[in-house]
Amino acid sequence: MIDKSGHPALLQFANAVLEVNFLPEECRWIGSVTEDMQIMGVVVYSRWTKHNCEMSVASVTPRFLTRSFLKVVFGYPFNELGLARVTAVVEADNHKALNMNRGLGFKDEGILRNWYGEGRDGVVMGMLKDECKWLK
């Protein structure tokens, strides 16, 4: 099931998995949950500008990335909010996440040196609305 309710447990899950502290008043989130309400994955939208937001993904299984979930996840920033692009930053050594994002349609745009700490770079990835295959 897709949960767009803004339930705090979804954001708590994302914060725990990603080891960050997204504040509820500064972001929005959409979750994928099983019928018995087990959280499989959460996408958090943050760092808003007039044309862009950052997307962060927290999950315990890749099974949450269904076509219907991806249509909702990308429909929110592009169709509901009217943004021109979305951005993701992925740790350079996280090859699973990099490959997942590339498969979803994100393109590599640059490197943020030491973004995740000393010697741990971040790869900036972006997707423009007209590149998003999940809206079609």
Side-chain angles (χ1 to χ4, degrees):
M1 293 184 339
I2 298 168
D3 188 331
K4 292 176 66 176
S5 71
H7 194 285
L10 296 170
L11 188 60
Q12 291 167 357
F13 172 89
N15 281 337
V17 170
L18 297 173
E19 299 178 347
V20 296
N21 187 28
F22 288 116
L23 301 174
E25 62 273 11
E26 296 176 358
C27 62
R28 300 290 176 266
W29 55 94
I30 298 174
S32 174
V33 297
T34 62
E35 293 296 323
D36 61 347
M37 302 310 290
Q38 296 296 312
I39 301 170
M40 296 195 326
V42 177
V43 175
V44 179
Y45 307 88
S46 62
R47 300 184 187 191
W48 309 91
T49 70
K50 185 176 179 181
H51 305 284
N52 176 72
C53 73
E54 187 172 318
M55 292 175 68
S56 302
V57 176
S59 69
V60 293
T61 174
R63 291 189 354 248
F64 81 103
L65 290 174
T66 64
R67 279 192 178 278
S68 58
F69 186 69
L70 291 168
K71 286 181 180 185
V72 170
V73 163
F74 287 104
Y76 176 68
F78 289 132
N79 293 335
E80 290 185 44
L81 301 180
L83 299 179
R85 62 169 284 130
V86 292
T87 301
V89 180
V90 178
E91 191 163 354
D93 290 340
N94 189 343
H95 299 289
K96 281 176 116 176
L98 289 168
N99 290 335
M100 177 190 75
N101 281 1
R102 290 174 183 135
L104 292 173
F106 282 89
K107 298 193 182 337
D108 293 16
E109 295 183 334
I111 301 293
L112 297 169
R113 296 176 295 153
N114 293 337
W115 184 255
Y116 291 98
E118 186 66 34
R120 296 173 59 204
D121 296 342
V123 177
V124 180
M125 307 180 88
M127 182 188 302
L128 303 179
K129 181 178 181 177
D130 64 357
E131 297 170 340
C132 185
K133 59 187 174 184
W134 308 104
L135 301 180
K136 297 168 172 83

